[in-house]
Amino acid sequence: MYDPHIRINKWNVWYGSDHALVNITADIPAKGITTIIGPSGCGKTTLLKSMNRLLDEMAGTRVKGQVWLDGINIYDPGVDVTEVRTRVGFLAPKPFPLPMSIYDNVAYGPRIHRHTLNSRGGNDHDLDGIVENNLRAAGLWEEVKDRLRTSATRLSTGQQQRLCLARALAVEPDVLLCDEPTSALDPIAAQKIEAQLQALKKERTIVVVTHMLRQARRMADYVILLWMGELVETGPAMQVFVNPRDERTRAYLDGDIG
Amino acid sequence: MKATKVEEKIFLTIMICSTVFVLSCLILILATVIWRGLPALNLSMLLQTPKGGFYLGKEGGILNAIMGSLFLAGGATALAMAISLPIALFLHFYAKRSWHGGVVRLALDVLWGIPSIVYGAFAFILMLWLGLRASLLGGIIALTFLELPIMTRGMDEAINMVHPLLKESSYSLGATRLETALKIVVRQAIPGLLTSSLLAFGRGIGDAASVLFTAGFTDHLPTSLFKPAASLPLAIFFQLSTPFPAVQNRAYASALILTGIVLGLSIMSRRIAGRLTEHVIR
Ligand SMILES: Nc1ncnc2c1ncn2[C@@H]1O[C@H](COP(=O)(O)OP(=O)(O)OP(=O)(O)O)[C@@H](O)[C@H]1O
Ligand SMILES: [Mg+2]
């Protein structure tokens, strides 16, 4: 059918005794935008954080199953977590700039990963270039090019969110996970982020969690619908939105739940 | 009036009362020290070492004690910082979910409450064992023990205040725990870390009992780690215990100097903190 970039297989997550994700099996195709939708508390964030092992940082979580990234189960004991997170970036719902300048925020990742980037043929002397390119890719360059050395906290929320996007892109992830990336933003700032993600999807695999059905309809190439920790339906956006197979999908899309 | 209004009034009154109480204590102490100390304070006191013995002397100054105290508390604070920060980071990043962390925190809280004379006695035993006599180094060791609990717990709290999502940001860029701890969390927690260090310095420079056996006292400036060093709290103690009012007033002058040092340092560290915290997320 299509080429899966991430393959989630019989995936279970518990918070303490709370079974948050139940036997999820789904594919995230390479390139394009996959949206994860579903009512609040159904496990969207949990599923997203499963894909770059940010789940590890939460106390009391337990997992079962596999998450395959390019043919490697990222939960195998031998896997290097930082390597996974370098290849799978994450954009949080609320922007959290690092306590440093705009420039250093974008350069943080590349500086940490000098070795890996070098071995991939990157050039570490060109930090200025890396910073500029990624700020451009996030659509922020024109607004900040004259004040790169000022504190990132002085940016507006919308600008901060684009900075976080630039920061994530600077690590050159193959996959970018976005958790309600526009929920803290006004419509115009939200539109900017959406446009950047649309542009990025040609080269990268993008997964977007969203509350807004309209946003999902605008952006999605593929859809995963969750419902109380279970997978209800997954497939190409056209099929799920136009011709859903499951009764619950129909109800959710019609606005009866969630 | 509604019940909530009354409640608010009561709390407001309590708050004002406690503020007034704390402030008036501070003012009373400062007033006493200034009133009795200021007339006795002069430049030669700041710039000279004692003449004719600190117990009887009204001549000369207390530069020996000023320098001694700065070296003692400064050295101890530097040492304590070097030990506290790793402990605090370890507690937060590696021992968070284990019982070890709880035990260490409990131990620190207990240590915090132990009288300083006990620290002095403990350090003294340690010194005997190491073959050290009463010396600057001995005093620094004792003060380091004294400062460690307050500093570590302060730093621990400062680090715990760092927002978890900030750490998540760093992790999600592929940073390790160590990189996150050193490059992000320490930066973000700098104001709290400095405050903890300053509190510890204040405790160290103001303590007499722990340096009594360990640093000893001398009329000379501290020139070697292995020779005794004078300190302001002991100078004050000795001067106060003489029967001569003129010498007793010099004790108040010394107290004034000690207060001045702590005040000056607080202001200075605020300035430094202001410069270092330009990027801190609020
Ligand atoms: N840190 C946590 N500790 C305990 N339970 C949690 C934690 N995080 C999430 N949960 C629980 O797991 C379930 C799924 O949560 P999750 O955050 O993945 O939902 P979500 O779909 O992202 O919701 P929302 O749309 O509101 O963001 C919920 O029942 C929630 O209560
Ligand atoms: Mg969520």
Side-chain angles (χ1 to χ4, degrees):
Chain A
M1 200 164 72
Y2 42 73
D3 172 28
H5 197 160
I6 296 179
R7 172 157 268 181
I8 298 157
N9 189 31
K10 298 197 181 112
W11 185 244
N12 291 271
V13 178
W14 289 265
Y15 292 107
S17 59
D18 181 9
H19 202 167
L21 287 180
V22 186
N23 257 345
I24 306 282
T25 296
D27 285 349
I28 311 274
K31 315 269 157 99
I33 297 181
T34 301
T35 60
I36 304 178
I37 55 175
S40 187
C42 67
K44 303 184 293 293
T45 301
T46 307
L47 184 60
L48 204 64
K49 286 187 176 173
S50 302
M51 291 186 239
N52 70 346
R53 290 189 58 175
L54 268 185
L55 219 53
D56 295 20
E57 304 305 328
M58 296 177 174
T61 56
R62 198 158 54 81
V63 301
K64 206 180 104 195
Q66 303 106 38
V67 177
W68 299 90
L69 171 69
D70 294 326
I72 295 167
N73 177 11
I74 61 171
Y75 284 84
D76 263 350
V79 168
D80 178 6
V81 185
T82 59
E83 160 90 23
V84 170
R85 294 185 189 142
T86 310
R87 290 169 56 186
V88 185
F90 183 79
L91 187 61
K94 267 179 65 185
F96 250 92
L98 303 172
M100 44 185 81
S101 70
I102 295 173
Y103 184 99
D104 289 338
N105 257 275
V106 184
Y108 181 74
R111 280 181 177 140
I112 284 178
H113 300 298
R114 247 156 222 261
H115 290 295
T116 8
L117 289 184
N118 284 351
S119 68
R120 282 205 222 160
N123 182 353
D124 72 357
H125 302 300
D126 194 25
L127 257 187
D128 290 355
I130 293 178
V131 170
E132 178 175 343
N133 288 341
N134 287 293
L135 282 171
R136 276 188 198 284
L140 188 61
W141 173 251
E142 292 302 326
E143 289 157 69
V144 299
K145 64 181 179 199
D146 299 320
R147 47 168 173 155
L148 291 174
R149 298 289 169 184
T150 59
S151 182
T153 50
R154 298 209 196 118
L155 297 171
S156 75
T157 315
Q159 289 171 328
Q160 285 183 8
Q161 187 66 327
R162 276 176 285 151
L163 179 67
C164 290
L165 179 60
R167 180 177 79 184
L169 293 176
V171 184
E172 298 186 15
D174 308 323
V175 182
L176 185 62
L177 310 173
C178 312
D179 192 1
E180 302 185 34
T182 63
S183 62
L185 309 181
D186 71 274
I188 293 181
Q191 205 190 346
K192 284 184 183 161
I193 290 279
E194 242 182 64
Q196 300 309 331
L197 293 179
Q198 294 280 13
L200 288 166
K201 77 172 189 181
K202 294 183 192 81
E203 289 159 26
R204 294 169 213 266
T205 302
I206 296 181
V207 186
V208 180
V209 164
T210 178
H211 254 129
M212 291 172 280
L213 262 180
R214 279 217 214 128
Q215 186 175 47
R217 286 184 200 272
R218 274 198 302 273
M219 300 179 79
D221 298 309
Y222 308 94
V223 177
I224 293 176
L225 176 66
L226 297 182
W227 167 253
M228 290 174 68
E230 289 181 45
L231 184 108
V232 169
E233 188 153 352
T234 177
M238 282 298 277
Q239 180 211 310
V240 176
F241 286 138
V242 177
N243 194 12
R245 291 188 198 131
D246 195 289
E247 224 17 73
R248 287 169 294 181
T249 315
R250 217 176 289 265
Y252 183 71
L253 294 178
D254 291 344
D256 291 348
I257 34 176
Chain B
M1 267 200 290
K2 281 196 199 136
T4 51
K5 282 262 179 189
V6 177
E7 226 169 54
E8 205 172 302
K9 274 256 151 72
I10 292 173
F11 275 108
L12 201 65
T13 317
I14 294 175
M15 262 157 53
I16 291 173
C17 285
S18 58
T19 310
V20 168
F21 177 72
V22 170
L23 269 182
S24 41
C25 283
L26 180 68
I27 290 171
L28 265 176
I29 294 172
L30 275 180
T32 315
V33 170
I34 291 173
W35 175 58
R36 293 202 56 179
L38 203 57
L41 188 64
N42 53 41
L43 211 57
S44 61
M45 227 180 129
L46 287 173
L47 298 178
Q48 291 178 10
T49 51
K51 298 202 167 58
F54 51 79
Y55 184 73
L56 297 168
K58 351 189 238 258
E59 302 293 313
I62 52 159
L63 186 64
N64 59 328
I66 296 176
M67 296 306 288
S69 263
L70 284 178
F71 284 8
L72 282 167
T77 306
L79 256 181
M81 281 166 95
I83 302 171
S84 288
L85 188 60
I87 298 179
L89 287 174
F90 176 79
L91 277 180
H92 187 76
F93 279 91
Y94 298 93
K96 198 163 198 185
R97 291 168 211 175
S98 69
W99 54 272
H100 304 98
V103 171
V104 174
R105 287 200 178 94
L106 182 69
L108 287 169
D109 289 345
V110 171
L111 283 175
W112 195 339
I114 290 179
S116 58
I117 188 78
V118 179
Y119 284 98
F122 173 68
F124 189 65
I125 294 173
L126 199 69
M127 282 162 58
L128 286 183
W129 186 66
L130 288 171
L132 273 175
R133 292 161 177 238
S135 59
L136 181 58
L137 183 60
I140 287 177
I141 292 174
L143 285 184
T144 305
F145 284 125
L146 182 74
E147 290 186 15
L148 261 179
I150 184 173
M151 196 188 282
T152 310
R153 282 299 268 136
M155 288 183 165
D156 184 32
E157 292 300 328
I159 287 170
N160 273 332
M161 292 289 287
V162 174
H163 201 292
L165 288 182
L166 193 57
K167 283 178 282 171
E168 195 182 87
S169 300
S170 175
Y171 290 139
S172 69
L173 294 167
T176 61
R177 280 188 192 183
L178 191 64
E179 283 160 344
T180 305
L182 297 182
K183 293 183 181 173
I184 303 300
V185 171
V186 167
R187 250 173 211 260
Q188 174 70 12
I190 272 180
L193 298 179
L194 277 179
T195 309
S196 318
S197 308
L198 191 74
L199 278 175
F201 180 89
R203 185 170 191 203
I205 201 170
D207 197 75
S210 54
V211 289
L212 187 59
F213 314 122
T214 53
F217 203 87
T218 170
D219 279 355
H220 303 289
L221 293 176
T223 48
S224 159
L225 275 175
F226 302 102
K227 285 187 185 156
S231 55
L232 280 167
L234 285 180
I236 296 169
F237 176 63
F238 293 139
Q239 287 167 333
L240 263 186
S241 54
T242 66
F244 313 113
V247 179
Q248 285 177 2
N249 282 345
R250 284 167 71 88
Y252 286 98
S254 309
L256 196 57
I257 294 171
L258 182 55
T259 314
I261 290 177
V262 174
L263 183 71
L265 208 89
S266 303
I267 293 172
M268 218 170 69
S269 72
R270 252 158 227 256
R271 285 260 167 96
I272 297 173
R275 209 165 296 159
L276 288 176
T277 55
E278 192 198 338
H279 298 301
V280 163
I281 320 277
R282 285 168 219 281

